Amino acid sequence: MIGGNRLFRLVLGFVVLAMPINVAAAKSIRCPADMPYAGPAPISVAIADVNPPAANRPSKDPKTLSASFTDKYEKSKATSLTVALADQDGPIWEETRGLENAEKLHYWASVGKSFTAVIIMQLVENKRLSLDDKLSNWVKNVPNGDLITVRMLLDHTSGLYSANEDQGTNTKLQRPLSLQDNIDILNKHGPLFCPGQYWRYSNTGYLFLGEIAEQIYGQSLREIIKVQIFDKIGLKNSHVLQVADEVSDIAKPRPSDDQKSDIRAPGPAGPIAATSSDMLRFWRAFLNGELVKPATRDQMLAQLYPMFDKNSYYGLGIMAMRVPGPDGKPVIRIGHAGGMPGIKAFVMIDPVSRQYVSVALTGDGPASAVAYNMLRKWQEAPAP
């Protein structure tokens, strides 16, 4: 089994907070409209054709999977853990332990960015929005907002500071940041680089994407995601969080120290609470062309920028990561990671076999390691 520390080095080790790159912040940067990308080379990922139907594949042994789940639960030291596994079609295997009282759902942190990205790409498909539209069309007074495109917000090449990193303002306000708070913080810090020049994770960019969707639809992001995603593919155990929500049915963060987390704060940068099976259904529907066309899905994976290390990449709301394959050689997996103090989440998909795992936990355990090892177990599991 690959342990948490090693897999973090191989995949990534980030939470919902953005990680800095070696580009100095500045109050004012003069930028051309066509600044070329100057970072490490991007990659692309292709999605394989759908495998033979589940009826033609042997079923998995639930006892073997449950024993593996128990092993990962104990080794991760998570206070609660949920895992779902599936092929491109057929039944979903799911197991959950450790929920307390009224808790029914887990929070998925930045994994929820992919829901926001799908909403934006649906608008692009319907020609209500263009990836080349400028942020200033929708949100005013943002540094370089007249140069930042929708595409740059999706793939984190906008150069925008991530406002949640401004601990002074967050501590002073003692509440989730509003849209105007984010704009004020961006103007205080200035752009980190010219739009399109480098890659740098920004939760604020996804806040702006949510704002764009709300302005176009004239509805809240909760209503939009419910109609355009939940209702469309039949998700019954999923919820879009808003600032004023009562969250007793969602597993609360359980950090190992005294850090505080508010799962309602990220907004469009992390809006989803769900069961692991519903989260898997979302990703399966996405790859299967039920939420966006296959050509749009492929566009979202056509240019993925190197993230924090040489093994993780980011496209239009989707991550790719290099991990050891069955023979020890690196292979590509896609999905998304997320977390905050006391919560970790990870979705990992084999784009060749079209097999899936979704993992969320409370505590500070390694969701990435659990996801990697459970997916390997699913792919190796014998029939009962």
Side-chain angles (χ1 to χ4, degrees), residues 27 139-143 160-163 166 169 172-173 175 177-191 204 207-208:
K27 289 293 182 183
V139 183
K140 306 301 182 184
N141 302 317
V142 175
L160 292 176
Y161 183 79
S162 194
D166 189 315
T169 301
K172 179 181 177 181
L173 292 178
R175 58 169 171 77
L177 297 175
S178 67
L179 178 68
Q180 188 58 52
D181 292 331
N182 276 263
I183 294 171
D184 292 344
I185 291 171
L186 295 185
N187 280 288
K188 180 175 78 171
H189 288 272
T204 299
L207 175 72
F208 292 152

Side-chain angles (χ1 to χ4, degrees), residues 200-235:
R200 208 268 193 179
Y201 202 76
S202 175
N203 286 307
T204 299
Y206 270 74
L207 175 72
F208 292 152
L209 290 170
E211 175 67 16
I212 291 169
E214 289 183 342
Q215 288 192 34
I216 293 174
Y217 276 103
Q219 298 175 312
S220 69
L221 188 63
R222 170 181 284 176
E223 294 171 307
I224 298 166
I225 290 177
K226 180 182 183 301
V227 172
Q228 300 299 323
I229 296 178
F230 293 176
D231 293 350
K232 187 171 289 188
I233 60 174
L235 300 188

Side-chain angles (χ1 to χ4, degrees), residues 198-320:
Y198 295 104
W199 184 93
R200 208 268 193 179
Y201 202 76
S202 175
N203 286 307
T204 299
Y206 270 74
L207 175 72
F208 292 152
L209 290 170
E211 175 67 16
I212 291 169
E214 289 183 342
Q215 288 192 34
I216 293 174
Y217 276 103
Q219 298 175 312
S220 69
L221 188 63
R222 170 181 284 176
E223 294 171 307
I224 298 166
I225 290 177
K226 180 182 183 301
V227 172
Q228 300 299 323
I229 296 178
F230 293 176
D231 293 350
K232 187 171 289 188
I233 60 174
L235 300 188
K236 305 297 185 184
N237 297 293
S238 300
H239 181 69
V240 181
L241 290 164
Q242 293 182 329
V243 170
D245 280 354
E246 197 281 320
V247 292
S248 62
D249 62 336
I250 302 169
K252 62 180 179 292
R254 297 184 178 95
S256 57
D257 52 28
D258 60 356
Q259 294 186 75
K260 304 296 182 184
S261 298
D262 185 346
I263 63 176
R264 301 166 297 183
I272 303 298
T275 59
S276 56
S277 55
D278 259 18
M279 181 56 68
L280 194 148
R281 287 184 183 96
F282 163 77
W283 282 92
R284 194 157 69 170
F286 166 69
L287 258 68
N288 206 30
E290 297 173 44
L291 292 171
V292 294
K293 298 173 183 176
T296 300
R297 173 204 66 196
D298 294 345
Q299 183 180 18
M300 296 169 75
L301 289 160
Q303 190 159 330
L304 299 106
Y305 294 93
M307 296 175 65
F308 314 121
D309 58 51
K310 63 182 180 180
N311 294 304
S312 53
Y313 303 84
Y314 207 97
L316 301 183
I318 308 175
M319 289 174 50

